[in-house]
């Protein structure tokens, strides 16, 4: 606004006056207005529109949305995770650097330095051609060299690039007859060796190669570790991801695709190794040699087994023949012995008759002397009879012959008397020894166990058996109780008291066998306290607590024992426990359920001890 000067102030400069009203507006990140103005446009740029979702859902082919189609790699374009600039599209990087595909990183580095000096723009001469806007052809070539070196000098990028190059994946299914095995499979293995992560890669070799190296070769290829990269088949470009979760999802999808190609590559290399091993003449020769050795070993074992069987058969045949021969020899020997004995008997009989005739002709003996002569002749052997006959026949009849015969009879009686005296002395010495042992053991009382064994012995060896008392004594000795035959007889007589030994043994067996554990322990204590034969006598004769008016519920008679055994068989263990023992107690007269259970436990314990 222009203000006019005040009156009277014309000589002064005009003054400009302006009034400005400053007002501020405050915006906060909240509310619907802020969301609609600032946040919604950004979200719509990342989110698929609702209309597009409806169209995608209604589409019959269910094609992906436009946003995902833009991010998804187009099939057939050959794009990979390695991105090449527009200048390198369609170029061979190895040809640009003038190196081979098998060159090392150091060789590529030297070659790059050499070409950088040659193709650097500063090293080029002045360009006489008319300059055009943009980079010249020489500058573009130098840039290609730089970018090619950046890729080939990085191992990861180089592998990705090498994986995009054309490669022959063919594998021969059989050996070419014109080339042979080594020329058919050798180039294939060398071609695929470029993918190995392990070096050096073994060669196929030839017919002279050691078999250990051949096996190492196939072990290497059967466990081949390949670095071949299949990122060129990725479905999504990770650089197109707008946020981290989307990038991870793209990585997972790409990894699924790569996994299929990696598995196919592994199977291809495996098939190559297996096919080569199948047609390898060295492996075939080794397999045939192994089969041949196996057959030879099998035939050798069969021959050894057959020889062993034949040897065993021969041994059995020889053994049988030997046994038959020995049996025949033994039979012949026995026959000869029988014949010899028969002859000896006949000779002895003839000599006895001859001696008796000589005695009758030349001697005059009493009837008693003739009886002694008969016994005397029967006791002599044929040789002695022959000597007597010759001696008697050489003597004249009469007193001289009588004296000779009587002298021989007297000598025979004397020898017989000495023999009887010697036997009597031996019997007396044996009785003295037994008496001595009996005197030593006389103070030792008979225990209940010994009485039980005595009763068992009386039952085992009944009266009328030959050598009964010696057998009973041996029975006690075998069970660990040293007793003489006299002690056994005396103890049996002492305990019998007029009863038959059989009934006494049965009674002792019943009282010792069917006595319950408590009653048996009580009888043992009484035996130790009394330590006299009367205690054993009372035990044998059935002197128990019952005779004194005490409870005899622990006593089991043979009938009760038999009833218990039948009841246990009649009522199996599959029944209810309480119900089963009630039924068993009902079948055993005079016994309760608890007594039957206690008796069963006692018998089971005794059976376990006997088995142990």
């Amino acid at each position: 606004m222009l203000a006019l000067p005040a009156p009277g102030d014309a000589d002064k400069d005009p003054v400009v006056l302006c009034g400005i009203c400053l007002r501020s507006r405050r915006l906060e990140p909240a509310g619907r207005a802020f969301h609609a103005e600032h946040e919604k446009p950004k979200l719509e740029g990342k989110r698929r529109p609702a209309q597009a979702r409806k169209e995608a859902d209604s589409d019959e082919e269910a094609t992906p949305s436009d946003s995902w189609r833009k991010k998804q790699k187009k099939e057939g374009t050959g794009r990979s995770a390695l991105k090449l600039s527009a200048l390198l599209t369609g170029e061979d990087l190895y040809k640009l650097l003038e190196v081979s595909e098998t060159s090392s990183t150091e060789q590529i580095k030297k070659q790059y330095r050499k070409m950088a000096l040659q193709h650097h723009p500063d090293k080029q001469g002045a360009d006489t051609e008319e300059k055009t806007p943009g980079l010249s052809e020489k500058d573009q070539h130098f840039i290609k060299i730089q970018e090619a070196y950046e890729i080939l000098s990085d191992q990861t990028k180089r592998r990705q690039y090498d994986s995009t190059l054309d490669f022959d994946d063919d594998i021969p299914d059989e050996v070419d007859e014109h080339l042979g095995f080594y020329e058919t499979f050798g180039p294939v293995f060398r071609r695929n060796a470029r993918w190995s992560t392990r070096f050096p890669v073994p060669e196929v070799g030839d017919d002279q190669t050691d078999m250990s190296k051949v096996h190492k070769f196939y072990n290497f290829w059967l466990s081949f570790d390949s670095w071949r990269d299949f990122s060129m088949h990725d479905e999504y470009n990770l650089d197109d991801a707008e946020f981290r979760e989307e990038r991870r999802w793209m990585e997972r999808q790409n990894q699924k695709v790569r996994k299929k190609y990696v598995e196919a590559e592994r199977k291809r290399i495996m098939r190559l190794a297996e096919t080569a091993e199948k047609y390898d003449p060295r492996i075939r020769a080794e397999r045939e040699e192994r089969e041949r050795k196996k057959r030879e070993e099998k035939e050798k074992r069969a021959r050894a087994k057959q020889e062993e069987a034949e040897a065993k058969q021969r041994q059995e045949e020889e053994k049988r023949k030997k046994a038959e021969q020995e049996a025949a020899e033994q039979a012949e020997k026995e026959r000869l012995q029988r014949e010899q004995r028969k002859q000896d008997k006949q000779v002895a009989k003839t000599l006895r008759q001859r001696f008796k005739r000589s005695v009758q002709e030349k001697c005059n003996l009493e009837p008693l002397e003739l009886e002694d002569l008969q016994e005397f002749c029967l006791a002599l052997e044929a040789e002695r009879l022959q000597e007597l006959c010759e001696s008697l026949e050489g003597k004249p009849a009469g007193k001289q012959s009588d004296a000779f015969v009587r002298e021989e009879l007297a000598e025979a009686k004397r020898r017989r008397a000495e023999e009887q005296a010697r036997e009597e002395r031996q019997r007396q010495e044996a009785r003295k020894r037994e008496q001595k042992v009996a005197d030593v053991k006389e103070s030792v009382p008979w225990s209940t166990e010994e009485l039980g064994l005595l009763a068992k012995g009386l039952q085992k060896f009944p009266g009328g058996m030959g050598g009964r008392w010696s057998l009973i004594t041996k029975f006690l000795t075998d069970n660990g109780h040293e007793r003489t035959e006299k002690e056994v007889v005396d103890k049996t007589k002492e305990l019998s008291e007029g009863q038959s030994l059989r009934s006494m043994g049965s009674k002792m067996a019943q009282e010792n066998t069917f006595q319950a554990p408590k009653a048996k322990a009580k009888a043992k204590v009484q035996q130790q306290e009394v330590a006299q034969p009367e205690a054993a006598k009372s035990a044998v004769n059935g002197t128990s607590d019952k005779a004194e008016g005490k409870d005899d519920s622990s006593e089991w008679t043979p009938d009760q024992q038999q009833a218990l055994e039948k009841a246990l068989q009649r009522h199996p263990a599959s029944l209810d426990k309480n119900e089963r023992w009630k039924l068993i107690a009902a079948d055993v007269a005079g016994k309760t359920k608890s007594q039957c259970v206690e008796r069963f436990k006692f018998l089971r314990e005794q059976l376990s001890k006997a088995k142990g």
Side-chain angles (χ1 to χ4, degrees), residues 258-422:
R258 293 182 191 179
K259 187 176 180 180
K260 295 179 182 179
Y261 287 95
V262 169
E263 182 65 19
E265 176 69 7
R266 186 190 68 80
K267 291 181 179 179
R268 188 182 69 83
I269 297 296
M270 185 72 70
R271 186 165 63 87
L272 170 63
E274 291 175 352
T275 305
E277 188 176 20
K278 178 181 178 181
Y279 293 104
D280 194 331
R282 299 164 299 183
I283 299 296
R284 284 187 171 184
E286 184 187 35
R287 188 182 298 113
E288 291 175 359
E289 180 66 18
R290 187 166 56 249
E291 292 294 332
R292 183 184 64 79
K293 290 183 179 180
K294 189 175 180 181
R295 287 194 302 271
E296 291 179 355
E297 186 67 22
K298 186 177 180 181
E299 292 174 358
K300 184 178 179 181
R301 289 197 301 269
R303 287 195 301 270
K305 187 175 181 180
Q306 184 178 0
E307 291 175 358
E308 183 180 358
E310 291 176 354
K312 186 177 180 181
Q313 186 177 0
R314 286 195 300 269
Q315 291 178 358
E316 291 178 354
E317 185 67 20
E318 292 175 358
K319 187 176 180 180
R320 184 183 62 79
K321 291 181 178 179
K322 185 177 180 181
E324 291 178 355
Q325 184 178 359
E326 290 178 354
E329 292 177 355
Q330 183 66 21
E332 182 65 18
K333 184 178 179 181
E334 291 177 356
R335 186 184 66 79
L336 294 175
Q337 289 176 354
R338 287 194 302 270
E339 291 180 356
Q340 185 65 34
R341 287 195 299 270
K342 186 176 181 181
Q343 292 176 2
D344 292 343
K345 288 181 180 180
Q346 186 64 32
V347 171
K349 182 178 179 181
T350 304
L351 291 173
R352 283 196 298 271
Q353 292 175 355
R354 176 183 171 187
F355 182 70
K356 289 178 181 179
R357 283 196 303 269
S358 299
V359 170
Q360 291 176 358
E361 292 175 356
K362 295 185 177 184
C363 300
N364 186 15
L365 300 178
E366 300 293 334
L368 293 177
E369 291 176 341
L370 293 176
E371 292 180 2
D372 294 338
L373 180 64
Q374 179 67 21
E375 295 179 1
F376 172 70
C377 292
L378 292 175
L380 294 178
E381 298 292 334
E383 296 178 357
R384 180 61 178 161
L385 288 171
Q386 180 69 25
E387 294 177 359
L388 291 176
C389 289
E390 292 177 355
S391 299
L392 183 59
E393 289 174 355
K395 295 182 180 298
K399 295 182 180 180
Q400 191 175 359
S401 299
D402 294 344
F404 173 75
V405 173
R406 288 190 176 95
E407 184 180 353
E408 290 295 332
L409 291 176
E411 182 64 23
K413 288 182 180 180
R414 185 183 61 79
R415 287 196 300 268
R416 188 163 57 251
E418 290 178 355
E419 184 68 23
Q420 291 177 355
R422 186 169 60 254

Side-chain angles (χ1 to χ4, degrees), residues 145-272:
I145 292 174
Q146 285 183 322
E147 292 182 356
Y149 175 71
E150 289 178 359
I151 293 174
L152 298 182
S153 61
D154 188 333
Q155 184 178 9
T156 303
K157 292 181 180 180
R158 183 180 178 182
R159 288 182 174 180
Q160 291 178 342
Y161 174 74
D162 290 347
S163 299
T164 61
L165 300 178
D166 294 335
F167 183 76
D168 184 9
D169 290 334
D170 292 338
I171 294 176
D173 294 330
E174 57 184 8
V175 179
D176 191 339
E177 296 180 357
H178 300 287
L179 298 177
F181 171 79
Y182 302 105
E183 294 298 328
T184 301
F185 286 92
V188 181
F189 280 108
R190 287 192 291 271
R191 184 171 67 245
N192 286 273
R194 65 177 300 180
W195 309 118
S196 176
T197 59
R198 296 178 294 173
F199 291 95
V201 179
E203 295 289 339
V204 177
D206 52 19
D207 291 332
Q208 305 302 325
T209 305
D210 188 72
M211 289 305 300
S212 61
K213 294 183 179 180
V214 175
H215 290 299
K216 288 182 180 179
F217 170 80
Y218 285 108
N219 290 336
F220 177 88
W221 283 98
L222 288 173
S223 59
F224 187 77
D225 187 11
S226 174
W227 55 260
R228 192 172 185 181
D229 187 82
F230 297 95
S231 58
M232 78 286 292
H233 300 289
D234 289 352
E235 187 176 0
Y236 297 97
N237 293 323
L238 302 182
D239 294 338
D240 294 340
E242 297 181 2
F243 45 90
R244 182 172 55 188
E245 286 75 11
E246 184 180 13
R247 181 182 180 87
R248 291 178 178 175
W249 181 84
M250 289 181 177
E251 289 178 351
R252 290 194 295 271
Q253 297 301 318
N254 292 339
Q255 191 65 27
K256 291 180 181 179
V257 176
R258 293 182 191 179
K259 187 176 180 180
K260 295 179 182 179
Y261 287 95
V262 169
E263 182 65 19
E265 176 69 7
R266 186 190 68 80
K267 291 181 179 179
R268 188 182 69 83
I269 297 296
M270 185 72 70
R271 186 165 63 87
L272 170 63

Side-chain angles (χ1 to χ4, degrees), residues 3 24 183 446 551 589 597:
S24 62
E183 294 298 328
W446 284 67
D551 183 21
V597 173

Side-chain angles (χ1 to χ4, degrees), residues 436-458:
K436 186 176 180 180
V437 175
D439 293 341
V440 172
K441 292 187 176 181
E442 187 175 359
S443 59
V444 180
W446 284 67
S447 63
T448 306
E449 187 176 359
E450 286 180 303
L451 294 173
L453 292 172
L454 176 60
K456 290 181 180 179
L458 293 173

